[in-house]
């Protein structure tokens, strides 16, 4: 994984490429770019998440953590137009793409921003994420420990089995979260994470 995906400003020159977002009844023309994860396509992991995770419960702010060019945020904002969808990423090029794609889709309920731009008092009814596993285990754990406590409802994560989905589930259980496997498809696990005083992992 090119580390530029985790940089504020990608080193690669911008090279926009159109793509289609066709998943679970949603069909949109979008713009992707170099230096942003999954240029020119919807990546397999995010597709698995969107096809197998439950729709969000009605009401409340929703979080797309590590939004890239915005497929998860666009899906959430389309099916929950009265909710504010926070599309969060450190990559400013990615955030620009989210804003562009939201405008093109006529979606005014997406807020694309850096992590430090989300007000401290905002809490989320749910989180959906294809987290940056290849950024390293320590960085991933820090990221989840930063955001999971702000989620009052379920968090749905997609993680490749060969990149440690099962060990991540065990670690989350050790942190006091109840982890359920919603799906295992195309080499990816879809995990549902909910705060639970007892902790533990369901298999």
């Amino acid at each position: 994984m090119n580390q530029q995906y985790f940089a504020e400003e990608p080193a690669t020159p911008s090279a926009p490429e159109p793509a289609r977002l066709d998943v679970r009844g949603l069909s949109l023309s979008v713009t992707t770019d170099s230096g942003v994860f999954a240029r020119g396509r919807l990546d397999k992991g995010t597709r698995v998440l969107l096809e197998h995770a439950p729709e969000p419960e009605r009401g409340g702010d929703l979080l797309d953590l590590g939004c890239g060019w915005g497929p998860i945020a666009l899906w959430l904002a389309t099916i929950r137009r009265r909710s504010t969808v926070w599309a969060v990423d450190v990559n400013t090029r990615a955030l620009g793409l989210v804003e562009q794609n939201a405008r093109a889709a006529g979606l005014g309920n997406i807020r694309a921003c850096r992590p430090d731009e989300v007000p401290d008092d905002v809490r989320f009814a749910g989180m959906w994420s294809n987290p940056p596993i290849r950024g390293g285990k320590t960085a991933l754990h820090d990221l989840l420990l930063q955001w999971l406590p702000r989620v009052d409802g379920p968090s749905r994560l997609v993680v490749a089995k060969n990149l440690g989905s099962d060990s991540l589930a065990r670690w989350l259980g050790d942190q006091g979260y109840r982890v359920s496997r919603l799906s295992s498809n195309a080499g990816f696990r879809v995990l549902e994470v909910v705060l639970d005083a007892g902790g533990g992992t369901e298999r």
Side-chain angles (χ1 to χ4, degrees), residues 14 48 57 88 106 112 184:
S14 175
V48 169
E57 292 71 16
V88 175
S184 183

Side-chain angles (χ1 to χ4, degrees), residues 103-154:
R103 285 195 301 271
L107 296 169
N109 57 331
I110 294 178
R111 296 190 62 174
C113 57
R114 292 173 40 80
D116 58 3
E117 294 173 334
V118 181
D120 292 338
D121 61 349
V122 172
R123 298 193 62 82
F124 305 100
M127 178 174 79
W128 284 255
S129 181
N130 183 354
I133 297 293
R134 294 183 186 271
K137 182 181 293 187
T138 298
L140 174 64
H141 288 179
D142 289 346
L143 182 70
L144 293 176
L145 290 176
Q146 176 185 356
W147 291 97
L148 282 173
R150 299 181 64 173
V151 183
D152 296 324

